[in-house]
Amino acid sequence: MISERDSETTFEEDSQPNDEVVPYSDDETEDELDGRQPGAEPGLNQTSRDAEESRDPGKKDCSWQVKANDQRFYDQPGFKRTIFLCFKKSKYAGNAIKTYKYNPITFLPLNLFEQFKRAANFYFLVLLILQSIPQITTLSWYTTLVPLLLVLGITAVKDLADDIARHRMDNEVNNRKCDVIKDGRFKTTKWKDIKVGDIIRLKKNTFVPADILLLSSSEPNSLCYVETAELDGETNLKFKMALEVTHRHLQEESALADFDGLVECEEPNNRLDKFTGTLSWRDSNYSLDADKILLRGCKIRNTDFCHGMVIFAGADTKIMKNSGKTRFKRTKIDSLMNYMVYTIIVVLILLSAGLAIGHTYWEQQIGNSSWYLYDAQDLSPAYRGFLNFWGYIIVLNTMVPISLYVSVEVIRFGQSYFINWDLQMYYAEKDTAAKARTTTLNEQLGQIQYIFSDKTGTLTQNIMTFKKCCINGQRYGDCRDAAGQLQSHPEQQVDFSWNVYADGKFLFCDHYLIEQIKSGKEPEIQKFFFLLAICHTVMADTSDGQLNYQAASPDEGALVTAARNFGYVFLSRTQNTITISEMGVKRTYDVLAILDFNSDRKRMSVIVRESGGNIRLYCKGADTVIYERLHPRNPKREATEEALDVFANETLRTLCLCYRDISQDEFEVWNKKFVEASLATSHRDEALDKVYEEIEKNLILLGATAIEDKLQDGVPETISRLSKADIKIWVLTGDKKETAENIGFSCELLTEETAICYGEETSALLQTRLENQRNRAGSSPHSSLRMNEPFFQGSRDRALIITGSWLNEILLEKKKKKKKLKLKFPRTAEEKKKQTEKRRRAEAYKEQQQKNFVDLACECRAVICCRVTPKQKAMVVELVKKYKKAITLAIGDGANDVNMIKTAHIGVGISGQEGMQAVMSSDYSFGQFRYLQRLLLVHGRWSYIRMCKFLRYFFYKNFAFTLVHIWYSFFNGFSAQTAYEDWFITLYNVLYSSLPVLLVGLLDQDVSDKLSLRFPRLYVLGQRDLLFNYKKFFLSLLHGAVTSLIIFFIPYGAYLKSMGQDGEAPADYQSFAVTAASSLIFVVNFQIGLDTSYWTFVNAFSVFGSIALYFGITFDFHSAGIHVLFPSGFQFTGTAPNALRQPYLWLTMILSIAICLLPVVAQRFLSMTIWPLESDKIQRNRRKYLLEELQWKRRQSAFRRGVSARRSAYAFSHQRGYADLIASGRSIRKRRAPLDAVLARSGTGSGDTRETS
């Protein structure tokens, strides 16, 4: 009996996770999960179930119905859904996509609503309303309205520009065109007008506009080749094939117009590799699967045209279902800034309340007894204090800086353009510039702790290149001359002009191998390249006189292309023959059997009849499986193994090649078993694999190939730099484990010293930890389940490699199988309570297990998750965000990366590939992975430093400005009178102090871009939030408070007993206001000068220009002329000219400025001398580093040869090849043979090799 504890966490423990299988999607049906159970209903039961399903193929729950060429079919009430009250809408989505937020009618109300959701904007709206109440207003209404309109206007313009760009992108996609049958004929129609059930025609090199059922095509048996780069970044072609009945009957336009088939299938979901449905037509039902569906985003290749029926459109397509929810992303600094604004509002309310209480007390003690203060209003002191509370809220409103948000937006906008304009992030090959697709996340680029990267198309180019080989124990591929000596000029490539079939793009530098091939003295070399030319499932076609290959994987294409260049050219094939040009001589061979690759076998073989009638098996596969099947006497076994070690250390993907001769009798016996297995109705794959094992033995080793899975330029250097910046890099890919591990070594994410932890070991570690936590938790479910000790002891470099199946197992994400026949009885309240408690405890343990996994993974320097679904990629990112509270970045290039890109704090798309889905969903995009280091270490770090410096200074200058009112209150009876002129209050943040700090936020840099890249450790400041936090905020508050004290009390003391040159005392309120304001302007502008690290002419001009602007406007506003025009608005007539001609006041201002700034200068000097930051040290030595850089050359990475037992991945596709397709003959354009030739061939039983020169 299973204990209660065990039952809590046993979600589905009926099988060991399979590393080769991509796990199920979250949308899988229970029937599919039942079908996955191993050993369910074996033998007769299985057969009877198959028979039952064949009688009723629509038995499964297929609630999505699509009728061809009948739009009225979708008007039935059953296909409507209620959207609001009695309003109903069709459940079938239109094909138009919409990513924009506004239209001309909704822009103004929606945008204003969004802007007033910001606390500061709403606060100032309330303030404006308060200022319109005469009893409490202490400032003119325009002091708030002008800055508020400026803020709302600038933000609205930016939002409008962003949304117009979205409209343009949507229109570009929605207005693409294709042919749709309307009124019995094909008519050109825009994508947005395509509807479910439409019959469409697609031409070569066009994108598929919706998820469609393939009906027919121009190819034999209605094959259709598609490229899925937009979905998964892979550029190798995949094929789809129509049903035989639609292929035969639906080729003509009239037949397609009359087609009235009904498709019943699964509801729209996110499974890219699954489809279940049934086509009902002409009183027959036909089963449909994923091989008959073309997905939106695919591109038609090598197929002149094809016809299809729209099944899912627009938002219902699988590519859109995989894109995940669009999340509103905000930076960490944004959140912190909001909390600080709330803090300021609380402080403001408390100060206003304190000052209002002070006014109440003052009124009771002094105001009531002072006849000269009587204002003809008999109000109680308490009521006067209440009115003054609101008055102080208005006076002190500048503590909450209204221009803060608009200034932040301007800085981010400018920084985004700096990213767009960066020529060092421009990828000339694809004419692709870096693009900041959002303007709100720039400073977050300087705080990244975890990077989640796709592999195919992101780290790699998905281009395989034949680099080296080992034949008969001899290694080839190093740069050697024709005599076998190493070349002094390694860049000299082999000239393949002697070969008419040579591919001009193929590069090889070993001239010695070419001489050996041409001489014909080494039969093993001839066999080696003959094997590469004959043992594959590649298909050839000729267009414009050029021979082109279509391979199931880029690896196979690279091997066949290599053989082609070395003189062994695969030309064509039929169902049972293959034609090869061997050093200019064409020969056709009978192919007796193709033993196809799969992920369990890790090899493929062909059996051919050679000249003279002898039969030979050629095989290629991973060294681990080939070496087990070699003949005991293989003299070159050790030499080849050494070569494999060398290739592995150079991170090349290896394959072993071998052969064996088969007697006629042995082949006939084996062929009978092969035919029987091929005709098996159940467990066909297992039966075939067993038969293959019988013939693939006692093999003779020929050698090994080494293929380079080409990384993008600069990937290892980028990863190395980012690692030095304390950024952890996780690779999340759908590729096989071996391929992903090999790329890990190629890009130096893994090294020879790295200890790798796999799924099984990880599961055991986590299970042990969970058991220990349970034991510690005891019987109380509320006790702490945390354990802080590390999973791994010692400081060894570690990496985690885990597959999607193990990920589901470890994170307890496996689905429970429903029990079919379960009698349900009414449960008592106690049973319900037990069930709820059991479920709650299971969730708690699941959460703990997930946290433990994240803790374990984060102890590793690198993590590689392979064979994962798009949803799992997003789940891994979400787990790190949830349990580590870390800032994450996801980078990818395909639609399968969109969910991950949207989930991470920052999403980056690789543009310039065929696929643009990732780019459209990303926050930033560029052409190559290597630009990520510049985006983070230069632009990200600078943006973070600039924003932090801007915010610290902004809070400081506003506190220094506002708190003067508080000190003044102690001398004016707490009457809420302002210490400055109204126009100074209005323009202080808008004109007098805004430009210098804006320029620092846009242009400042502590060290240059080159030094930022050279010293990645500078980046950690942002990760640790060292430059802007609550401590820095309160220091700015304190600094501002001290400055305000000096600004107020030094002029106050100077004015107490002073006498001007003309014998008059300049101690009036207006002169004092001008003196304090002038001192403040000098102090805050000189302070930003001290904070500036990178001086330009523009910075200097802004500082001195702001001071000059202040005096210009002040003298203007204090002139008699403007007072005559607007007597109520300008009341400081003549104040500035009279006050500022007194030397005494200038000395007072100089004293105030000196006392404010000298301590700051002293503190900066001491900190740079005694406690310098890393950036200070680098800045001090920048000249030395510049000289070093001029002399420095990039060091070549050195491989450790012969010290590793690691093997790089076998070079095969992730799925079966085209063997079934070739064997069926469906892909071959058949020519009718003469009858006598057919009879002669059947009479002889087997054909001889045919040879032509």
Side-chain angles (χ1 to χ4, degrees):
M1 187 173 179
I2 300 173
S3 67
E4 186 181 348
R5 175 176 287 178
D6 289 339
S7 67
E8 287 162 3
T9 54
T10 308
F11 281 72
E12 186 68 73
E13 299 175 5
D14 52 5
S15 64
Q16 184 85 344
N18 186 344
D19 283 346
E20 300 294 343
V21 176
V22 177
Y24 58 80
S25 154
D26 284 359
D27 288 335
E28 283 192 68
T29 63
E30 296 298 335
D31 292 306
E32 289 170 332
L33 288 170
D34 290 345
R36 283 178 178 265
Q37 304 309 316
E41 301 182 42
L44 183 63
N45 293 336
Q46 176 70 33
T47 308
S48 63
R49 189 171 69 172
D50 289 343
E52 187 182 345
E53 287 191 3
S54 65
R55 286 195 302 272
D56 186 11
K59 183 177 72 172
K60 291 187 177 179
D61 181 24
C62 295
S63 57
W64 190 265
Q65 296 186 333
V66 179
K67 185 89 181 280
N69 293 316
D70 185 2
Q71 288 303 318
R72 284 178 297 180
F73 175 78
Y74 307 105
D75 295 333
Q76 298 177 53
F79 298 145
K80 304 280 185 182
R81 57 186 172 87
T82 303
I83 53 172
F84 179 70
L85 298 176
C86 59
F87 296 101
K88 294 193 173 184
K89 185 181 176 183
S90 172
K91 73 172 185 176
Y92 299 93
N95 202 43
I97 61 165
K98 172 192 163 189
T99 61
Y100 59 85
K101 289 161 65 176
Y102 311 113
N103 61 39
I105 296 169
T106 62
F107 173 71
L108 201 59
L110 268 182
N111 189 260
L112 285 174
F113 175 71
E114 283 186 2
Q115 290 205 59
F116 282 122
K117 283 200 292 187
R118 278 183 169 168
N121 289 349
F122 183 72
Y123 165 79
F124 277 97
L125 181 65
V126 171
L127 200 69
L128 189 62
I129 294 167
L130 289 175
Q131 283 182 281
S132 64
I133 302 171
Q135 287 83 357
I136 61 173
T137 185
T138 51
L139 279 173
S140 304
W141 54 268
Y142 53 76
T143 57
T144 300
L145 182 65
V146 172
L148 183 62
L149 286 177
L150 198 67
V151 168
L152 296 177
I154 290 174
T155 308
V157 168
K158 184 186 77 68
D159 290 345
L160 182 64
D162 286 348
D163 213 54
I164 287 171
R166 290 192 201 98
H167 270 278
R168 283 177 182 155
M169 191 171 290
D170 288 350
N171 287 336
E172 190 274 319
V173 173
N174 290 332
N175 290 324
R176 290 178 184 171
K177 294 179 180 177
C178 75
D179 295 337
V180 179
I181 283 194
K182 290 190 176 180
D183 303 324
R185 300 195 60 185
F186 277 114
K187 295 181 180 177
T188 302
T189 306
K190 293 178 179 178
W191 277 23
K192 64 183 179 183
D193 298 325
I194 293 173
K195 296 182 176 63
V196 169
D198 281 349
I199 305 299
I200 65 175
R201 178 170 64 197
L202 301 172
K203 296 174 183 174
K204 187 192 283 189
N205 298 329
T206 59
F207 283 105
V208 180
D211 291 353
I212 66 172
L213 169 66
L214 180 63
L215 298 175
S216 61
S217 82
S218 57
E219 296 298 295
N221 289 283
S222 288
L223 270 176
C224 180
Y225 297 98
V226 293
E227 185 178 83
T228 59
E230 184 137 341
L231 296 177
D232 53 21
E234 293 188 8
T235 52
N236 53 296
L237 300 190
K238 300 174 178 64
F239 68 87
K240 305 286 183 178
M241 190 159 53
L243 287 166
E244 192 176 348
V245 64
T246 59
H247 160 66
R248 282 202 316 268
H249 298 291
L250 297 178
Q251 293 286 351
E252 300 298 324
E253 185 179 84
S254 56
L256 287 161
D258 294 336
F259 177 58
D260 61 350
L262 175 68
V263 171
E264 293 181 87
C265 64
E266 59 194 15
E267 291 281 326
N269 57 64
N270 67 347
R271 291 167 295 175
L272 293 169
D273 58 339
K274 291 278 181 84
F275 181 82
T276 306
T278 307
L279 170 64
S280 303
W281 187 41
R282 295 182 175 178
D283 301 323
S284 297
N285 293 334
Y286 306 94
S287 178
L288 303 176
D289 56 26
D291 289 337
K292 296 169 181 62
I293 302 295
L294 304 184
L295 300 182
R296 178 179 178 132
C298 293
K299 200 169 194 178
I300 307 297
R301 294 286 198 192
N302 293 7
T303 307
D304 292 332
F305 63 84
C306 66
H307 303 117
M309 170 182 171
V310 178
I311 305 296
F312 303 127
D316 291 335
T317 57
K318 291 182 183 286
I319 191 172
M320 298 302 286
K321 286 285 182 185
N322 258 300
S323 62
K325 292 181 181 177
T326 302
R327 300 163 188 252
F328 177 65
K329 295 183 179 182
R330 296 172 62 190
T331 66
K332 204 172 180 180
I333 282 182
D334 255 339
S335 304
L336 193 60
M337 202 161 64
N338 277 349
Y339 282 118
M340 286 174 180
V341 169
Y342 298 146
T343 305
I344 293 171
I345 290 173
V346 170
V347 170
L348 171 64
I349 291 169
L350 292 175
L351 282 173
S352 299
L355 293 168
I357 292 167
H359 182 70
T360 304
Y361 178 78
W362 186 86
E363 278 288 335
Q364 287 174 341
Q365 298 298 317
I366 299 168
N368 282 345
S369 59
S370 304
W371 58 267
Y372 55 86
L373 294 175
Y374 182 65
D375 59 359
Q377 293 183 355
D378 297 318
L379 304 175
S380 68
Y383 185 65
R384 286 181 185 274
F386 172 75
L387 292 179
N388 254 35
F389 169 76
W390 295 107
Y392 270 113
I393 289 285
I394 294 169
V395 168
L396 302 178
N397 76 77
T398 46
M399 282 179 71
V400 182
I402 188 169
S403 56
L404 172 66
Y405 286 101
V406 73
S407 302
V408 165
E409 293 296 334
V410 169
I411 288 169
R412 287 173 173 166
F413 196 66
Q415 287 166 349
S416 299
Y417 272 95
F418 292 151
I419 292 171
N420 296 349
W421 293 337
D422 191 344
L423 290 177
Q424 293 187 56
M425 293 169 69
Y426 171 70
Y427 187 43
E429 193 173 312
K430 295 279 177 102
D431 189 26
T432 305
K435 182 161 180 62
R437 299 172 58 80
T438 179
T439 58
T440 58
L441 301 172
N442 296 325
E443 68 272 10
Q444 191 114 300
L445 290 169
Q447 298 182 282
I448 302 299
Q449 292 161 278
Y450 289 86
I451 290 174
F452 300 90
S453 173
D454 179 41
K455 182 193 80 70
T456 307
T458 303
L459 296 176
T460 67
Q461 301 178 33
N462 205 32
I463 297 172
M464 307 298 168
T465 310
F466 182 90
K467 281 300 206 187
K468 296 186 177 183
C469 60
C470 172
I471 307 173
N472 202 26
Q474 174 75 38
R475 291 204 305 270
Y476 299 95
D478 294 320
C479 294
R480 296 185 292 183
D481 59 22
Q485 301 299 314
L486 287 173
Q487 285 184 333
S488 56
H489 301 289
E491 66 276 0
Q492 188 178 351
Q493 301 293 334
V494 169
D495 180 14
F496 288 104
S497 57
W498 55 272
N499 182 355
V500 293
Y501 291 106
D503 176 10
K505 298 175 185 175
F506 185 75
L507 300 176
F508 200 71
C509 60
D510 193 343
H511 296 258
Y512 183 59
L513 177 58
I514 301 297
E515 288 303 312
Q516 295 288 85
I517 293 171
K518 287 181 177 177
S519 69
K521 295 176 183 176
E522 295 282 346
E524 284 79 8
I525 293 179
Q526 295 171 350
K527 286 179 189 172
F528 182 91
F529 287 107
F530 175 76
L531 189 154
L532 291 181
I534 204 167
C535 182
H536 55 78
T537 58
V538 173
M539 288 183 279
D541 64 43
T542 305
S543 59
D544 301 326
Q546 293 292 319
L547 182 63
N548 299 311
Y549 293 146
Q550 304 302 333
S553 78
D555 309 65
E556 263 208 326
L559 292 173
V560 178
T561 301
R564 165 184 177 174
N565 282 279
F566 289 117
Y568 290 78
V569 188
F570 162 57
L571 295 175
S572 63
R573 73 189 326 144
T574 66
Q575 186 172 348
N576 49 17
T577 66
I578 185 167
T579 303
I580 293 169
S581 169
E582 302 172 41
M583 300 301 289
V585 180
K586 283 187 184 177
R587 292 192 176 97
T588 302
Y589 296 90
D590 287 331
V591 178
L592 305 179
I594 299 177
L595 286 57
D596 200 8
F597 161 84
N598 67 34
S599 56
D600 294 323
R601 283 167 39 74
K602 301 183 182 179
R603 64 193 183 278
M604 77 154 291
S605 304
V606 294
I607 301 175
V608 296
R609 189 182 300 278
E610 295 191 330
S611 55
N614 58 311
I615 299 170
R616 182 170 281 178
L617 177 142
Y618 291 99
C619 179
K620 65 182 181 186
D623 56 282
T624 50
V625 294
I626 295 295
Y627 268 61
E628 293 170 0
R629 291 162 177 78
L630 290 180
H631 192 279
R633 291 193 297 277
N634 260 292
K636 301 301 180 183
R637 181 179 183 135
E638 286 75 18
T640 306
E641 194 158 9
E642 283 180 22
L644 286 168
D645 281 335
V646 172
F647 298 155
N649 282 326
E650 295 179 14
T651 65
L652 300 174
R653 297 159 66 125
T654 56
L655 274 180
C656 287
L657 310 187
C658 50
Y659 71 97
R660 66 165 293 208
D661 290 314
I662 304 170
S663 67
Q664 181 68 37
D665 294 339
E666 182 185 1
F667 173 74
E668 286 176 1
V669 171
W670 177 85
N671 196 43
K672 286 179 183 176
K673 296 179 182 177
F674 173 61
V675 172
E676 286 175 12
S678 301
L679 298 175
T681 55
S682 61
H683 305 292
R684 176 175 173 266
D685 290 344
E686 291 84 348
L688 280 171
D689 288 350
K690 190 175 178 182
V691 173
Y692 294 164
E693 284 284 347
E694 293 180 15
I695 199 83
E696 292 173 328
K697 59 186 180 184
N698 294 326
L699 302 171
I700 307 299
L701 186 63
L702 269 175
T705 60
I707 285 180
E708 182 184 30
D709 185 359
K710 290 196 78 169
L711 289 173
Q712 292 185 9
D713 294 338
V715 167
E717 293 88 344
T718 301
I719 287 175
S720 174
R721 276 209 179 110
L722 294 174
S723 298
K724 287 175 185 173
D726 209 17
I727 298 172
K728 291 192 175 178
I729 297 168
W730 294 23
V731 176
L732 311 178
T733 176
D735 272 356
K736 302 187 307 296
K737 184 169 74 175
E738 291 87 348
T739 311
E741 183 176 339
N742 190 50
I743 288 299
F745 280 97
S746 296
C747 64
E748 297 177 17
L749 198 59
L750 309 176
T751 64
E752 300 301 344
E753 290 76 27
T754 305
I756 299 175
C757 182
Y758 294 101
E760 201 161 355
E761 185 185 345
T762 305
S763 181
L765 281 168
L766 291 171
Q767 198 61 38
T768 305
R769 173 63 61 90
L770 197 60
E771 287 297 325
N772 292 341
Q773 286 169 334
R774 286 172 171 178
N775 294 336
R776 290 191 181 191
S779 57
S780 171
H782 303 292
S783 60
S784 174
L785 295 176
R786 293 174 180 268
M787 287 178 71
N788 294 322
E789 61 263 24
F791 284 87
F792 303 109
Q793 302 302 321
S795 58
R796 192 173 178 193
D797 192 17
R798 295 182 186 277
L800 173 65
I801 297 180
I802 191 164
T803 59
S805 300
W806 271 112
L807 204 58
N808 275 347
E809 179 83 9
I810 287 167
L811 300 179
L812 306 177
E813 288 288 343
K814 295 188 78 177
K815 291 191 174 182
K816 284 191 269 191
K817 177 185 170 186
K818 281 186 181 175
K819 292 177 181 174
K820 294 287 180 182
L821 297 170
K822 186 179 179 183
L823 298 174
K824 293 186 178 179
F825 298 99
R827 289 186 294 185
T828 63
E830 189 178 347
E831 284 176 335
K832 285 182 180 178
K833 187 178 177 182
K834 276 186 179 178
Q835 191 72 20
T836 305
E837 179 65 16
K838 182 178 173 183
R839 200 177 297 119
R840 192 195 64 75
R841 291 181 68 183
E843 281 300 315
Y845 281 123
K846 176 180 175 180
E847 187 171 327
Q848 187 60 41
Q849 177 81 335
Q850 291 182 343
K851 184 189 181 304
N852 288 344
F853 169 74
V854 173
D855 289 341
L856 182 147
C858 290
E859 284 182 29
C860 300
R861 188 175 67 85
V863 177
I864 298 176
C865 300
C866 37
R867 305 305 269 163
V868 288
T869 63
K871 215 156 201 174
Q872 281 182 309
K873 291 183 178 185
M875 180 184 71
V876 170
V877 176
E878 190 61 54
L879 287 176
V880 173
K881 283 173 64 178
K882 180 179 178 182
Y883 294 115
K884 284 295 170 184
K885 307 294 184 214
I887 305 298
T888 57
L889 179 146
I891 178 168
D893 71 320
N896 57 349
D897 303 314
V898 167
N899 212 343
M900 168 177 80
I901 283 170
K902 287 185 174 179
T903 303
H905 290 100
I906 289 182
V908 178
I910 301 288
S911 59
Q913 310 291 331
E914 291 291 346
M916 292 295 288
Q917 283 295 317
V919 171
M920 289 173 71
S921 303
S922 67
D923 305 306
Y924 299 89
S925 65
F926 41 68
Q928 291 274 283
F929 181 84
R930 67 177 183 270
Y931 299 141
L932 185 61
Q933 61 179 323
R934 188 166 178 84
L935 183 71
L936 299 187
L937 302 183
V938 177
H939 290 287
R941 202 180 70 83
W942 279 352
S943 295
Y944 174 73
I945 290 170
R946 289 164 179 169
M947 186 60 72
C948 293
K949 191 175 280 190
F950 166 81
L951 290 172
R952 292 199 309 266
Y953 174 79
F954 207 94
F955 285 124
Y956 155 74
K957 79 180 179 72
N958 273 59
F959 288 133
F961 166 64
T962 307
L963 295 181
V964 171
H965 295 302
I966 294 175
W967 316 132
Y968 183 49
S969 297
F970 288 93
F971 300 93
N972 65 18
F974 305 99
S975 61
Q977 184 182 3
T978 58
Y980 311 112
E981 181 194 6
D982 284 0
W983 281 107
F984 177 78
I985 294 171
T986 305
L987 299 176
Y988 174 75
N989 273 322
V990 177
L991 291 178
Y992 300 155
S993 62
S994 58
L995 191 57
V997 70
L998 269 179
L999 289 172
V1000 165
L1002 285 168
L1003 303 175
D1004 203 47
Q1005 48 184 266
D1006 54 348
V1007 298
S1008 68
D1009 55 344
K1010 289 180 180 176
L1011 291 175
S1012 294
L1013 290 170
R1014 186 171 171 185
F1015 298 98
R1017 289 292 300 170
L1018 291 169
Y1019 189 81
V1020 298
L1021 286 172
Q1023 293 170 329
R1024 298 175 187 170
D1025 298 322
L1026 294 179
L1027 297 185
F1028 188 67
N1029 47 45
Y1030 259 102
K1031 179 185 172 185
K1032 297 287 184 186
F1033 169 72
F1034 284 115
L1035 283 174
S1036 294
L1037 195 156
L1038 181 63
H1039 188 193
V1042 171
T1043 301
S1044 67
L1045 278 167
I1046 296 166
I1047 292 294
F1048 177 80
F1049 281 105
I1050 286 184
Y1052 174 76
Y1055 275 119
L1056 267 179
K1057 296 178 181 178
S1058 62
M1059 188 69 70
Q1061 285 180 325
D1062 52 4
E1064 294 179 8
D1068 62 287
Y1069 158 70
Q1070 292 188 343
S1071 297
F1072 175 82
V1074 168
T1075 307
S1078 302
S1079 302
L1080 179 68
I1081 292 298
F1082 276 113
V1083 168
V1084 295
N1085 280 290
F1086 286 165
Q1087 179 66 51
I1088 195 66
L1090 291 175
D1091 287 345
T1092 302
S1093 304
Y1094 184 69
W1095 277 94
T1096 64
F1097 167 77
V1098 181
N1099 291 85
F1101 179 80
S1102 69
V1103 170
F1104 295 105
S1106 295
I1107 296 171
L1109 186 67
Y1110 159 72
F1111 281 110
I1113 290 175
T1114 301
F1115 275 93
D1116 218 22
F1117 282 2
H1118 291 190
S1119 66
I1122 202 163
H1123 174 71
V1124 171
L1125 293 172
F1126 308 101
S1128 61
F1130 299 90
Q1131 297 175 349
F1132 276 50
T1133 310
T1135 304
N1138 289 333
L1140 295 177
R1141 61 188 174 87
Q1142 306 281 351
Y1144 184 80
L1145 294 191
W1146 283 101
L1147 289 171
T1148 302
M1149 283 192 278
I1150 291 168
L1151 181 62
S1152 303
I1153 296 163
I1155 294 174
C1156 284
L1157 297 180
L1158 284 176
V1160 177
V1161 173
Q1163 182 265 332
R1164 297 281 166 87
F1165 174 76
L1166 288 172
S1167 65
M1168 289 184 71
T1169 308
I1170 302 170
W1171 310 287
L1173 296 172
E1174 189 74 22
S1175 57
D1176 295 332
K1177 296 175 187 174
I1178 293 168
Q1179 187 69 15
R1180 198 178 300 155
N1181 297 318
R1182 65 186 183 279
R1183 291 181 187 278
K1184 183 182 81 172
Y1185 295 136
L1186 187 62
L1187 290 171
E1188 284 178 7
E1189 196 167 312
L1190 293 172
Q1191 299 163 1
W1192 183 68
K1193 290 183 179 177
R1194 184 178 178 277
R1195 179 173 56 86
Q1196 297 292 326
S1197 62
F1199 292 107
R1200 298 174 184 82
R1201 299 183 180 275
V1203 298
S1204 170
R1206 180 182 62 80
R1207 286 281 191 275
S1208 48
Y1210 47 93
F1212 274 118
S1213 62
H1214 311 315
Q1215 304 156 355
R1216 278 190 180 274
Y1218 294 153
D1220 290 341
L1221 192 62
I1222 294 162
S1224 68
R1226 292 175 180 176
S1227 67
I1228 313 301
R1229 297 186 186 274
K1230 301 180 181 64
R1231 293 189 179 87
R1232 189 180 298 278
L1235 182 61
D1236 56 350
V1238 174
L1239 293 173
R1241 194 178 305 150
S1242 61
T1244 57
S1246 62
D1248 295 328
T1249 302
R1250 291 162 296 282
E1251 182 177 317
T1252 58
S1253 297

